[in-house]
Amino acid sequence: MNTTTETAHLLVVDDDARLRDLLQRFLTEQGFRVTAVADAAAARRAISAMMFDLLVLDVMMPGESGLSLTESLRGDGNEVPILMLTARGAPEDRISGFETGVDDYLAKPFDPRELALRIRTILRRAAPLPAPAQHSAPVQLGLRWFDVDRAELRGPEGIVRLTGGEASLLQALARRMGEVLSREEIGAALGTPEAGERAIDVQVTRLRRKVETDPREPRFIQTVRHRGYVLRPGP
């Protein structure tokens, strides 16, 4: 990840040539490096040849959809931040995006300035933090340890890959360890206050798969009925 959002390299994937060209011009004017392609096949070729700091994907494209591409990338261990664009703004569509590992979701039509703002928010969230003068104590989660300051999860297998959203979620819970965070508070911490309760639940479910020994019986990220979630560390 680049040290500043302005030097970040973005990959825009959209089959609408007019929108694709508009976004490429606008985001370039905003200081980003931008590569733009028309479909998932071209995106795969670009990803295999270059490093990107963030992907902007359209959901509905000829051939492979943006959701399918996201699911494939996540299955291969690629945790590049992804912002999904869609003409469909229904909650179920947003939830499907979060389930596949999308970091944020923006429904068409949208203001390009909002897109740039969301991109910068995701990049800041995903960027490695400089070492602070005073370190917070690592949080033990069974055989894994979470570095709160760096938002980094380590286990016997080494660094556990987290998406930007997963890292921010665990960081928010760890910084208020033992306190119940409402879904609204979690949404604000993730920079997606409009995501909705079910979308937050999906993010928690994905994180539990990387933290818990048995995600169906969570020990560390616990649900508090009608209130939200709480992190309770331990060996």
Side-chain angles (χ1 to χ4, degrees):
M1 180 63 61
N2 291 310
T3 56
T4 65
T5 60
E6 287 72 17
T7 58
H9 190 183
L10 313 180
L11 176 63
V12 174
V13 189
D14 198 304
D15 63 305
D16 184 331
R18 179 177 174 276
L19 178 60
R20 188 171 66 246
D21 292 344
L22 184 153
L23 292 180
Q24 185 168 25
R25 289 197 305 272
F26 176 77
L27 293 172
T28 298
E29 290 169 358
Q30 293 293 305
F32 298 106
R33 294 174 56 208
V34 183
T35 297
V37 298
D39 54 35
R44 287 183 182 278
R45 292 193 293 272
I47 292 168
S48 68
M50 293 177 280
M51 293 290 294
F52 294 99
D53 297 287
L54 183 141
L55 311 185
V56 178
L57 297 183
D58 187 26
V59 170
M60 300 300 294
M61 296 184 291
E64 186 177 10
S65 72
L67 290 174
S68 175
L69 176 59
T70 298
E71 190 171 26
S72 175
L73 291 173
R74 295 300 188 238
D76 291 339
N78 188 329
E79 301 294 352
V80 60
I82 296 174
L83 190 154
M84 190 73 74
L85 302 178
T86 179
R88 301 176 301 177
E92 289 299 325
D93 297 321
R94 293 197 297 271
I95 290 165
S96 296
F98 286 125
E99 284 177 335
T100 59
V102 168
D103 290 82
D104 200 359
Y105 209 95
L106 188 58
K108 301 176 183 176
F110 56 84
D111 187 325
R113 294 172 297 179
E114 181 181 1
L115 174 63
L117 177 63
R118 287 178 181 245
I119 287 172
R120 289 192 172 96
T121 297
I122 295 171
L123 290 171
R124 283 196 300 270
R125 196 168 66 195
L129 298 174
Q134 293 185 335
H135 292 278
S136 301
V139 176
Q140 184 176 7
L141 303 168
L143 296 178
R144 295 185 171 88
W145 291 84
F146 182 62
D147 185 321
V148 181
D149 298 312
R150 295 185 178 278
E152 186 176 88
L153 183 64
R154 287 183 175 271
E157 69 276 38
I159 293 179
V160 179
R161 291 191 181 95
L162 299 174
T163 66
E166 291 164 353
S168 293
L169 171 57
L170 187 52
Q171 193 174 48
L173 291 168
R175 283 179 170 161
R176 293 176 60 182
M177 202 157 42
E179 295 182 41
V180 179
L181 270 66
S182 68
R183 290 171 176 82
E184 291 78 9
E185 290 174 308
I186 291 173
L190 297 180
T192 56
E194 77 293 344
E197 292 189 0
R198 286 195 59 199
I200 297 299
D201 293 341
V202 167
Q203 292 279 57
V204 171
T205 297
R206 286 180 54 83
L207 180 59
R208 279 173 170 163
R209 292 175 189 154
K210 298 182 179 182
V211 170
E212 305 283 355
T213 303
D214 183 357
R216 294 169 299 180
E217 297 290 338
R219 293 178 51 209
F220 309 117
I221 304 174
Q222 297 181 6
T223 303
V224 180
R225 189 175 175 84
H226 302 309
R227 293 181 60 195
Y229 297 97
V230 60
L231 182 67
R232 302 193 189 281

